[in-house]
């Protein structure tokens, strides 16, 4: 076993080690060290207006605010989920000007004048969108946390296929892509479901697309 | 109510509502984004501030100094909580390491500070300004290097670390056919989609937390202990939980720090663990090194079964109980199991979906496949031959129900198992194709569980229990139970869960939730039925059906019993010793077909089938989802899931959803699940058992065995990635 002194840190090792600074014990008591830093200025804010589910919303935001947090924390539209905040899971998927995006990976102020559809805009418990209804029927979810993202993605995927947008698994780029399970699985792969409802989700989407699987 | 003799006929046996594949009653909320998860409760407390957690950048050692000056001066900052200013905190009984570290550090990304600010952006920015100097200590991070120092741990969850029956050593030495192999399983992460999150608010000395937690009563108790305040002063509310898989069984840093942050900021505070912090900050399924020895006669009868497992955990932690199933799964006169535990200074190891069995079967069920190969026997036939209907360590104790053979045989038939060829010969274009099988086994556990039921004049029945729904379908099966018992349709039942103000349930874990919590609702409904009958002056054998209560020639609307005020009944289901008299377990068989690219070694799962025998299935639709979800997680364990350990600095390197790969849509084919008809009167009046963990048990081994069948390459170290096949694949002709 290595002792701290025995660490021979390569440059790569230091990089991997991240923020850990290997220090000898100093005598500064923890938590009382206060640097004479002047108070920082308030962060810059900016106004932005966009349409969310058919209603124009105007906000003045810290410019660091992601579209996801604008929806969840400022507009209290919490149907859109934060699973990772880093573009790794798809839980935050919304439809902006007809295209699905990860709303955690984009700043709210970049969407001036755009039309945003969230899960709340697709349907309500009393008046569900066909895709929402199909997810219930096929049990295309369990904990429900990835579900709004899956549904927004699924709705946009069917539009993408209809519009002829090819995917990685489309064999013939000249032909119109078809709604097949392979196409759906490929296109839905940015939406992780740790509960593992995939098989049922694909059944729900095929059902809505009106194809017999 | 005490359940101490096997169930006879009861209203649940009508199966008019229970046992039907109904849609989830909360489905419209989940699919429209209107089910409120912990971090989303804007309505529950005004003026919520945001907390951002700072994690330790070393795995072991101490904080030499911490400079909060810059962070305090940052815009919007209201308070900063550290171990230095948090006051005296005890460690919860269910935690191995402290939830707030400092000055001593026990593991990487242990929380060391919470920065509270007016906005999330401000809190996050200020958190990056907390300056910390560390004195790095010496730690042990490498399981393989530490196994020589591993010791015999104390019994955990009633499982002794060692077991021995007959004379294993002699029988193994004498066995004409022997297998002795070593397997490894890596550290796994729950990686549930909803990060651990809490909103906390104080009113005087009373604390309320809106959080995401599987075990409400445990966690209230631990919170009280940690903060040193009475349990009565704490309320937990957790109606929707975005996945847990064991990762939310206990309090984590979010809930403690939200409570401390709210106290320091003098206003409600919300905290979610940032995804990149979660894997090292919270618990994980520990890696194992396992040795399996099987001895058999030439015709395949097992005579010696030995299974040893080594795992590591922080000081004071426990072993991964990977040998547990081996004590019960197959017949064989001479047997031994042993678990050894090394101290590792990695993040805390703890329960993840089917703790013990999941990694244990990953090894054992490859070993059985290897033995079948040595014997020249079909692996289905070998398992069937070695079935036992009694506890092999204690033959006087029968299994309450055991249909493992039927699972295997039904599955083999439905899957087309007879078409399986010898290894490395089946081709489909560029794909080498193979099939694999493994047994699934997981014990059934029951826990005391209470519920309250209310009957309103309208005839609506409301159930209240602190039971949780982590995606398991609890809302729906509880509604089905209450509807069946009270003779009302499903839409006349309201279910309220996850609030510590409600009666204490078994909670969600160890696949005990479904049977235990519905049995508690059954008990409460029995009491409510008695109250109804008495109120209406009906005979005690009155029939509850169609929203009415009927006795003799009288038929009264159920709601009439509440005409002059709501009727309320509460009861707790408790258990006698039936689980000692009978070994209650759940069984299954997994069948998998894979394709392996003959050139690149890329592995694709092509077909999956599970056949399960797990008592009465309360809702086949939700139960099927539990099983396919578990099969998906099992496919992940087989093919991709591995926390990479930095053995120098002691942390999991791939600590987010980009680095820790879990299955995505493209990895999972259509999945089939068959439930055998079963009702187990020894488990509860519901006659049910669990399925949520059974579903993952054996899956990874079935995949591994299919890869072997496809390629002839035996991989014993999970995950089975293509680099472990390259160079060994059959020659291309
Ligand atoms: S939260 Fe945006 S991709 Fe995960
Ligand atoms: S339903 Fe839980 S993650 Fe998809």
């Amino acid at each position: 076993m290595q002792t701290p002194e025995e660490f021979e840190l390569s440059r790569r090792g230091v990089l991997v080690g991240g923020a850990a600074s290997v220090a000898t014990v100093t005598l500064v008591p923890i938590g009382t060290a206060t640097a004479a830093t002047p108070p920082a200025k308030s962060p810059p804010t900016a106004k932005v207006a966009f349409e969310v589910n058919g209603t124009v919303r105007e906000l003045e935001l810290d410019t660091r605010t992601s579209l996801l947090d604008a929806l969840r924390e400022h507009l209290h539209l919490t149907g859109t989920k934060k699973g990772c905040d880093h573009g790794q899971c798809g839980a935050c998927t919304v439809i902006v000007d007809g295209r699905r995006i990860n709303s955690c990976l984009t700043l709210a102020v970049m969407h001036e004048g755009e039309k945003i559809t969230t899960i709340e805009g697709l349907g309500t418990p009393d008046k569900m969108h066909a895709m929402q209804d199909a997810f219930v029927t096929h049990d295309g979810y369990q904990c429900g946390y990835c579900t709004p993202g899956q549904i927004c993605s699924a709705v946009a995927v069917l539009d993408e296929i209809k519009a002829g947008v090819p995917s990685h698994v489309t064999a013939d780029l000249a032909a119109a892509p078809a709604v097949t399970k392979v196409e759906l699985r490929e296109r839905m792969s940015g939406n992780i479901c740790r509960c593992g409802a995939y098989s049922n989700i694909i059944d729900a989407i095929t059902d809505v697309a009106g194809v017999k699987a | 109510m005490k359940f101490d003799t096997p169930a006879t006929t009861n209203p649940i046996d009508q199966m008019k509502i229970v046992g039907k594949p109904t849609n989830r009653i909360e489905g419209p909320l989940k699919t429209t984004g209107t089910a409120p998860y912990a971090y989303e409760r804007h309505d529950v407390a005004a003026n919520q501030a945001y907390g951002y957690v700072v994690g330790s950048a070393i795995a072991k050692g101490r904080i030499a100094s911490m400079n909060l000056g810059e962070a305090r001066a940052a815009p919007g900052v209201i308070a900063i909580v550290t171990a230095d200013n948090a006051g005296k905190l005890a460690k919860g009984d269910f935690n191995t390491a402290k939830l707030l570290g400092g000055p001593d550090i026990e593991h990487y990304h242990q929380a060391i500070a919470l920065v509270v600010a007016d906005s999330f952006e401000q809190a996050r920015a200020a958190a990056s300004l907390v300056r910390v100097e560390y004195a790095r200590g010496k730690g042990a991070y490498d399981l393989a290097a530490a196994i020589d120092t591993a010791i015999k741990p104390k019994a955990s969850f009633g499982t002794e670390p060692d077991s021995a029956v007959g004379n294993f050593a002699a029988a193994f030495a004498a066995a004409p056919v022997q297998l002795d192999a070593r397997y490894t399983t890596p550290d796994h992460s729950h990686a549930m989609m909803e990060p651990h999150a809490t909103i906390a608010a104080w009113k005087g000395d009373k604390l309320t937390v809106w959080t995401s937690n599987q075990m409400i009563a445990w966690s209230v108790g631990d919170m009280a202990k940690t903060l040193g305040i009475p349990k009565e002063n704490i309320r937990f509310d957790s109606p929707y939980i975005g996945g847990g898989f064991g990762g939310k069984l206990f309090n984590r840093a979010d809930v403690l720090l939200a409570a401390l942050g709210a106290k320091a900021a003098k206003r409600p505070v919300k905290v979610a663990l940032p995804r990149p912090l979660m894997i090292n900050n919270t618990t994980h399924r520990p890696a194992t090194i396992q040795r399996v020895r099987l001895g058999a006669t030439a015709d395949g009868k097992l005579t010696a079964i030995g299974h040893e497992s080594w795992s590591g955990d922080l000081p004071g932690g426990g072993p991964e109980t990977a040998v547990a199933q081996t004590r019960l799964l197959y017949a064989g006169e001479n047997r031994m199991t042993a678990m050894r535990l090394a101290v590792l200074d990695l993040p805390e190891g703890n329960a993840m979906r089917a703790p013990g069995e999941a990694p244990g079967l990953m090894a054992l069920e490859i070993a059985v496949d290897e033995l079948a190969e040595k014997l020249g026997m079909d692996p289905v036939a070998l398992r069937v031959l070695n079935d036992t209907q009694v506890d092999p360590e204690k033959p006087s104790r029968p299994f309450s129900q055991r249909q493992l053979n039927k699972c295997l045989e039904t599955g083999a038939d439905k899957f087309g198992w007879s078409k399986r060829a010898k290894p490395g010969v089946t081709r489909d274009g560029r794909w080498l194709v193979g099939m694999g099988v493994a047994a699934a086994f997981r014990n059934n556990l029951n826990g005391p569980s209470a519920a309250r039921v209310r009957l309103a004049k309208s005839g609506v029945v409301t159930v209240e229990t602190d039971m949780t729904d982590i995606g398991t379908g609890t809302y729906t099966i509880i509604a089905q139970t209450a509807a069946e018992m009270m003779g009302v349709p499903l839409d006349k039942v309201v279910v309220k869960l996850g609030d510590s103000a409600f009666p204490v349930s078994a909670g969600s874990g160890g696949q005990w939730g479904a049977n235990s919590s519905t049995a508690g609702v059954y008990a409460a409904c029995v009491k409510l039925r008695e109250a109804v009958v008495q109120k209406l002056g009906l005979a005690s054998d009155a029939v509850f059906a169609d929203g009415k209560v009927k006795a003799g020639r009288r038929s009264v609307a159920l709601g009439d019993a509440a005409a002059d005020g709501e009727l309320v009944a509460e009861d707790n289901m408790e258990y006698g010793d039936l689980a000692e008299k009978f070994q209650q377990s759940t069984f299954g068989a997994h069948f998998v077909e894979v394709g392996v690219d003959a050139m690149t070694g890329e592995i694709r799962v092509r077909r999956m089938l599970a056949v399960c025998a797990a008592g009465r299935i309360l809702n086949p639709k939700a139960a099927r989802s539990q099983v396919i979800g578990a099969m998906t997680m099992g496919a992940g364990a087989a093919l991709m899931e591995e926390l990479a350990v930095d053995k120098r600095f002691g942390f999991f390197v791939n600590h987010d959803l980009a680095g820790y790969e879990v299955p995505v849509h493209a990895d999972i084919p259509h999945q089939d699940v068959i439930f055998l008809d079963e009702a187990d009167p020894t488990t509860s009046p519901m006659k049910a058992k669990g399925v949520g963990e059974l579903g993952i048990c054996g899956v990874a081994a079935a995949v591994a065995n299919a890869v072997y069948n496809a390629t002839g390459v035996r991989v014993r170290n999970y995950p089975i990635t293509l680099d472990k096949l390259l160079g060994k694949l059959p020659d291309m002709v």
Side-chain angles (χ1 to χ4, degrees):
Chain A
M1 205 175 298
Q2 286 180 310
T3 63
E5 292 72 37
E6 285 165 346
F7 269 108
E8 282 210 21
L9 294 181
S10 62
R11 186 177 136 72
R12 186 173 145 68
V14 171
L15 285 174
V16 170
S21 53
V22 184
T24 50
V25 183
T26 60
L27 296 173
V28 187
I30 291 164
T32 58
T34 42
T37 322
K41 283 201 224 67
S42 285
T45 61
K47 286 199 167 120
V48 64
F50 41 58
E51 206 179 295
V52 183
N53 302 327
T55 308
V56 176
R57 309 298 299 254
E58 288 175 41
L59 294 166
E60 167 131 16
L61 296 172
D62 183 324
T63 49
R64 296 167 296 186
T65 310
S66 66
L67 177 58
L68 174 60
D69 283 331
L71 293 169
R72 280 169 64 84
E73 305 304 324
H74 295 267
L75 299 176
H76 294 189
L77 288 169
T78 52
T80 308
K81 304 304 182 200
K82 184 185 280 190
C84 69
D85 218 10
H86 287 71
Q88 302 167 346
C89 76
C92 63
T93 306
V94 296
I95 304 169
V96 177
D97 286 346
R99 286 185 61 186
R100 57 189 171 135
I101 63 166
N102 287 338
S103 61
C104 71
L105 278 191
T106 185
L107 297 172
V109 294
M110 294 159 65
H111 296 280
E112 180 68 31
E114 294 180 356
K115 286 189 170 55
I116 298 155
T117 303
T118 70
I119 189 73
E120 292 94 342
L122 289 178
T124 61
D126 298 326
K127 203 166 177 285
M128 286 194 279
H129 184 280
M131 192 65 79
Q132 293 168 323
D133 200 51
F135 268 62
V136 173
T137 307
H138 292 275
D139 214 37
Y141 58 91
Q142 290 170 44
C143 77
Y145 201 76
C146 74
T147 311
Q150 301 277 357
I151 291 173
C152 285
S153 231
V155 167
V157 158
L158 292 184
D159 286 344
E160 281 161 26
I161 295 177
K162 209 179 280 166
V165 179
S167 83
H168 175 68
V169 298
T170 309
D172 180 359
L173 294 183
V179 182
T180 63
K181 290 201 169 189
V182 174
E183 278 283 0
L184 292 177
R185 285 185 193 123
E186 167 63 23
R187 292 170 192 260
M188 290 296 295
S189 281
N191 289 87
I192 295 176
C193 177
R194 185 57 161 164
C195 292
Y198 297 129
S199 186
N200 289 354
I201 292 172
I202 297 301
D203 287 350
I205 303 174
T206 16
D207 193 353
V208 173
V211 288
K212 263 269 128 297
Chain B
M1 182 180 286
K2 182 138 188 188
F3 183 74
D4 49 13
T5 48
T8 52
T9 305
N10 67 51
I12 298 297
D13 295 321
Q14 300 173 89
M15 302 266 288
K16 284 197 261 180
I17 300 173
V18 168
K20 293 281 182 291
T22 47
N23 293 340
R24 287 172 205 247
I25 61 172
E26 82 287 13
L29 299 182
K30 283 179 173 170
T31 55
T32 58
T34 47
Y37 295 82
Y39 199 76
E40 302 166 355
R41 311 285 295 270
H42 292 287
D43 56 320
V44 295
N47 200 27
Q48 298 170 14
Y50 292 79
Y52 200 89
V53 180
V54 180
S56 166
I58 60 166
K60 195 167 161 67
R62 55 189 288 269
I63 295 172
S65 71
M66 211 176 194
N67 185 335
L68 304 179
E70 272 178 273
R72 279 218 177 95
V77 171
I78 304 163
I80 301 179
V81 177
T82 66
D84 198 44
N85 64 23
K88 195 169 164 289
L89 298 174
K91 189 172 69 59
D93 293 338
F94 291 99
N95 295 131
T96 307
K98 287 189 193 161
L99 296 178
L100 177 60
D104 293 326
I105 296 298
E106 294 162 283
H107 63 86
Y108 187 80
H109 274 178
Q110 184 173 27
I112 56 167
L114 181 82
V115 178
V116 181
D118 286 319
S119 76
F120 172 70
E121 294 75 23
Q122 290 170 329
R124 182 180 56 190
S128 70
L129 300 175
V130 172
R131 308 292 178 204
V132 190
E133 300 265 308
Y134 297 96
R136 195 194 298 274
K138 186 161 112 169
Y141 309 118
D142 182 350
L143 176 61
I147 63 172
D148 293 338
T149 65
I151 54 138
K152 182 165 149 180
K154 55 183 195 308
S156 82
F157 289 107
T159 309
E160 289 297 327
D162 287 3
S163 69
V165 173
N167 187 339
F168 171 78
F172 182 70
V177 183
Q178 297 172 342
L179 176 89
D180 181 353
R182 191 181 130 113
Y183 306 86
T184 62
T185 64
D187 298 283
H188 288 155
S189 181
H190 309 85
M192 73 297 277
M193 291 304 298
E194 181 206 24
H196 302 75
T198 302
I199 298 172
W202 291 86
K203 254 202 193 117
D205 57 1
K206 299 248 193 295
L207 170 68
T208 302
V209 296
W210 294 270
T211 189
S212 185
N213 186 291
Q214 301 176 222
M215 297 294 298
I216 300 301
W218 287 4
S219 299
V220 169
D222 252 8
M223 193 68 166
K225 185 178 175 199
T226 306
L227 293 173
I229 64 175
K231 270 205 293 205
E232 297 66 43
N233 288 5
I234 300 175
R235 180 178 158 228
F236 269 54
D237 189 30
S238 187
Y240 290 96
I241 296 153
F245 314 114
K248 292 175 181 167
L249 286 167
F250 322 115
N251 291 326
R252 300 304 318 167
D254 58 303
V255 62
L256 176 63
L257 290 176
L260 296 171
K263 183 149 248 186
K266 300 191 175 56
R267 61 191 259 204
V269 166
K270 60 198 290 191
V271 177
L273 297 186
R275 177 63 65 177
L277 192 85
M278 281 170 65
I279 284 179
N280 286 288
N281 178 269
T282 69
T283 60
H284 66 281
R285 188 203 300 286
T288 64
I289 296 171
Q290 301 180 48
R291 181 188 189 192
V292 180
R293 281 174 290 173
L294 301 174
T297 61
D299 54 4
K301 273 268 180 215
L302 285 168
T303 54
I305 303 176
H307 193 167
E308 294 152 89
S309 175
W310 291 262
S311 61
D313 202 357
L314 287 168
E320 178 68 25
T321 55
V323 304
Q325 73 288 321
T326 308
R327 298 176 58 176
L328 289 162
L329 189 49
Y330 296 114
E333 257 165 56
N334 305 285
R335 10 193 356 123
M336 67 80 63
T337 67
M339 292 185 281
R340 292 295 177 265
L341 177 65
V343 169
L344 289 183
D345 299 294
L346 290 169
E348 181 172 333
N350 216 312
M352 177 171 150
R353 199 173 204 168
E357 281 95 339
L361 286 163
M362 286 169 79
L364 179 66
E365 288 298 284
I366 294 186
V368 172
D369 202 66
E370 296 201 59
L371 182 68
E373 175 98 12
K374 285 195 179 217
L375 287 159
M377 265 181 92
D378 182 295
V380 170
L382 174 62
R383 289 179 173 90
V384 168
L385 179 69
N386 288 289
D387 185 47
T388 172
Q389 291 294 316
V390 297
D391 175 349
E393 290 183 2
K394 228 193 207 176
S396 60
R397 195 168 160 261
F399 282 95
S400 59
Q401 305 253 345
R402 178 169 162 130
Q403 300 198 70
L404 175 60
N405 283 4
K406 193 159 177 209
C407 290
L408 287 160
E409 284 158 354
T410 306
D413 180 44
K414 291 280 187 302
F415 200 69
W417 182 252
S418 60
K419 295 198 191 69
R420 174 174 167 272
K422 63 184 176 60
V425 300
T426 307
R427 287 293 287 259
D428 175 9
R430 64 186 236 245
W431 300 100
L432 297 159
V433 180
M435 288 188 228
V437 65
F441 174 92
R442 170 85 176 146
N443 279 338
N444 178 65
L445 300 165
N446 296 324
S449 200
R452 187 184 298 136
V453 278
R454 302 171 179 279
L455 173 65
K457 198 158 63 173
S458 58
V460 169
V461 177
T462 302
V463 186
E464 297 171 346
T465 166
D466 83 355
M467 181 60 192
T468 49
D469 189 329
I470 61 173
T472 35
T474 312
Y475 277 105
T476 312
I477 57 173
I478 282 183
Q480 289 174 279
T481 304
E484 193 85 78
M485 288 299 289
M486 301 312 299
V488 297
L490 212 49
D491 62 5
K492 287 275 191 229
V493 182
V494 174
V495 181
K496 296 184 178 171
L497 300 179
D499 189 332
S500 62
F502 298 151
V504 173
S505 72
S508 298
Q511 81 171 10
W512 62 62
N515 182 50
S516 302
S517 70
T518 53
V521 173
Y522 172 95
C525 286
V526 168
K527 272 209 172 160
L528 184 60
R529 285 166 63 116
E530 287 164 8
V532 166
V533 165
Q534 201 182 27
K535 184 87 192 169
L536 297 174
L538 294 172
S540 62
D541 62 350
V543 174
F544 289 68
D546 310 318
K548 298 196 173 61
V549 195
K550 295 170 210 164
R553 271 171 301 148
R554 275 187 71 198
S555 171
V556 188
L558 177 66
D560 287 1
D564 34 87
E566 192 183 50
L567 282 191
V568 184
E570 181 177 331
D571 203 6
N572 184 28
M573 180 63 88
E574 293 169 296
Y575 294 88
D577 63 353
L578 287 174
E580 279 101 71
K581 286 194 188 132
F582 298 93
Q583 175 57 42
Q584 300 171 352
S585 303
T586 61
F587 299 89
H590 287 286
F591 290 82
V592 172
E593 180 181 283
V594 300
V596 180
D597 189 300
M599 201 69 139
T600 67
E602 177 190 357
I603 303 165
R604 307 289 305 165
V605 178
R606 292 158 61 114
R607 292 194 295 137
M608 298 183 95
L609 165 69
V611 185
C612 301
R616 175 174 284 157
I617 301 302
L618 302 174
N619 180 329
K621 190 178 267 197
R624 176 181 181 279
S625 285
Q626 281 290 289
V627 176
I628 66 167
M631 289 157 80
T632 300
M633 202 176 270
L639 298 175
M640 62 195 82
E641 291 186 37
E642 174 176 31
L643 289 169
V645 181
D646 185 312
K647 292 172 187 154
R648 305 157 308 162
F649 295 100
F651 70 105
F652 298 127
V653 180
N654 46 344
H655 52 79
D656 61 20
L657 288 173
Y660 184 76
E661 291 181 18
V662 299
V664 299
H665 276 279
D667 296 313
I668 300 300
H670 176 78
Q671 295 163 319
D672 286 312
V673 181
I674 296 169
F675 292 110
L676 297 186
D677 204 16
E678 195 173 290
D680 190 334
T682 72
T683 61
S684 84
M686 303 304 296
K687 305 177 185 173
K689 299 178 195 168
V691 293
E693 297 192 335
L694 175 68
I696 194 174
C697 292
V699 179
V703 175
N705 295 337
V707 170
Y708 175 74
N709 183 243
T711 62
V713 184
R714 185 66 78 178
V715 179
R716 300 185 185 86
N717 302 309
Y718 290 98
I720 306 168
T721 45
L722 52 79
D723 52 297
K724 295 172 186 169
L725 301 178
L726 284 177
K728 301 176 194 140
L729 292 171
D731 286 337
M732 312 264 294
V733 253

